[in-house]
């Protein structure tokens, strides 16, 4: 059958000499993988390939066969073009980092309207922000709501946050943060509903990023530190305050 859907590109890999394999999170079908033949073989190749950059928004008309790993696209159009992210070094680096996170985290071939709306809203926020220094940690903690391991906020004085069971305890277990890290993490999750509430120093943001990536590794099978992490950390130093 032919399905029309909005989609966000998660990753694109060159296949052989002329083709692409593109992973997208779609509004109607969840995660899907599309085979793009001859992407590099025509005069219009440059425009075609530009469609499949990380976190690009597309409008797809695709042939969808249940239980098939590779689907094919009948027609594709840009649904929303970014004005700032591609030309802004910090924002484009953040986008690459987020795409890696999503590639490791999203697997279900079922629709998730809440998650799709969250991604739309998040990318709009990144596009419009003047200073996106807190955006990576904000995005990571908000994404856990849709992945099923958002932390409990059962904080009490002198308690420790256990990364494995995502809650605070009066004792420090093997997977628990230190007391000072736990205090920082609680201050973070108790203010993270609005990104404008997150007033953290550069050192605190770096510490939170490390904690969140450890958190993801414990809860996501096959999750590893993103290859873009080192570049992201270098670029965020530009916004050091």
């Amino acid at each position: 059958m032919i399905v029309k859907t909005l989609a966000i590109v998660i990753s694109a890999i060159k296949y052989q000499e002329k083709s692409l394999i593109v992973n997208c999170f779609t509004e109607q079908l969840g995660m899907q993988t599309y085979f793009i033949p001859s992407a590099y073989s025509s005069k219009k190749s440059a425009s075609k390939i530009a469609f499949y950059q990380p976190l690009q928004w597309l409008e797809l008309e695709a042939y969808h066969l249940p239980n098939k790993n590779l689907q094919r696209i009948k027609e594709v159009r840009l649904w929303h073009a970014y004005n700032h992210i591609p030309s802004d070094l910090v924002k484009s680096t953040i986008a690459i980092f987020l795409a890696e996170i999503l590639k490791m985290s999203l697997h279900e071939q079922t629709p998730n309207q809440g998650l799709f709306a969250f991604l739309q809203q998040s990318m709009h926020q990144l596009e419009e922000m003047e200073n996106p220094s807190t955006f990576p940690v904000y995005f990571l903690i908000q994404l856990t709501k849709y992945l099923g391991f958002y932390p409990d906020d059962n904080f009490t004085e002198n308690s420790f946050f256990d990364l494995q069971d995502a809650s605070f305890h009066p004792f420090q277990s093997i997977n628990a943060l230190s007391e000072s890290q736990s205090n920082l993490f609680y201050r973070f999750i108790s203010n993270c509903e609005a990104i404008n509430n997150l007033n953290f120093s550069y050192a605190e943001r770096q510490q939170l990023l490390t904690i969140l990536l450890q958190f993801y590794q414990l809860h996501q099978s096959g999750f590893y530190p993103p290859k873009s992490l080192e570049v992201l950390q270098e670029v965020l130093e530009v916004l050091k305050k």
Side-chain angles (χ1 to χ4, degrees):
M1 64 177 177
I2 296 177
V3 177
K4 294 182 179 181
T5 183
L6 298 180
I8 183 170
V9 176
I10 305 300
S11 66
I13 301 172
K14 189 174 183 180
Y15 178 73
Q16 295 183 344
E17 293 299 317
K18 298 180 180 180
S19 304
L20 281 173
I21 294 176
V22 180
N23 292 306
C24 294
F25 183 69
T26 70
E27 184 176 26
Q28 301 298 325
L29 302 166
M31 282 299 299
Q32 295 293 324
T33 303
Y34 297 100
F35 179 64
I36 316 295
S38 305
Y40 292 88
S41 61
S42 72
K43 294 180 180 179
K44 297 182 179 179
S45 291
S47 61
K48 281 186 180 180
I49 295 167
F51 285 0
Y52 303 112
Q53 298 304 305
L55 304 189
Q56 184 62 265
W57 290 99
L58 303 176
E59 189 175 1
L60 303 179
E61 191 171 343
Y63 302 102
H64 179 70
L65 298 175
N67 304 316
K68 188 173 182 181
N69 291 329
L70 281 178
Q71 310 291 348
R72 287 181 177 263
I73 294 175
K74 182 174 183 285
E75 291 187 27
V76 58
R77 293 175 291 277
L78 281 178
W79 182 65
H80 172 75
Y82 298 116
N83 294 318
H84 307 300
I85 291 175
S87 59
D88 185 298
L89 176 61
V90 176
K91 291 181 180 181
S92 61
T93 302
I94 291 173
I96 292 169
F97 172 78
L98 300 185
E100 274 199 83
I101 296 292
L102 292 170
K103 183 180 180 181
M104 291 185 283
S105 301
L106 304 185
H107 307 289
E108 296 296 323
Q109 295 184 345
T110 52
N112 187 327
Q113 298 293 331
L115 175 55
F116 195 83
F118 164 71
L119 295 178
Q120 285 181 298
Q121 180 185 20
S122 296
M123 296 312 298
H124 177 73
Q125 281 182 301
L126 179 60
E127 170 81 349
E128 299 299 324
M129 291 182 75
E130 291 185 11
N131 183 343
S133 59
T134 60
F135 192 81
V137 293
Y138 171 77
F139 181 91
L140 286 174
I141 196 63
Q142 295 297 330
L143 181 61
T144 64
K145 293 179 179 179
Y146 305 94
L147 300 178
F149 55 96
Y150 188 75
D152 289 337
D153 61 354
N154 59 328
F155 177 82
T156 58
E157 190 176 358
N158 301 322
S159 62
F160 302 88
F161 183 76
D162 189 296
L163 294 167
Q164 183 68 65
D165 69 6
S167 63
F168 291 89
H169 296 282
F171 54 86
Q172 188 172 19
S173 61
I174 189 170
N175 289 310
L177 303 176
S178 68
E179 186 175 346
S180 62
Q181 289 175 322
S182 297
N183 289 335
L184 171 64
F185 195 65
Y186 175 70
R187 186 158 57 91
F188 171 60
I189 64 173
S190 62
N191 288 284
C192 70
E193 287 306 312
I195 194 168
N196 293 334
N197 294 338
L198 299 180
N199 297 313
F200 293 95
S201 68
Y202 170 77
E204 288 173 329
R205 293 194 300 268
Q206 291 294 92
Q207 193 173 0
L208 287 168
L209 183 59
T210 299
I211 290 170
L212 286 164
L213 291 177
Q214 292 173 346
F215 192 37
Y216 270 69
Q217 281 185 276
L218 283 171
H219 290 271
Q220 294 279 93
S221 177
F223 190 93
Y224 53 84
K227 295 178 181 178
S228 57
L229 176 60
E230 185 177 348
V231 177
L232 175 70
Q233 290 173 325
E234 291 176 359
V235 168
L236 289 180
E237 284 197 69
V238 174
L239 305 178
K240 192 173 181 179
K241 288 185 179 180

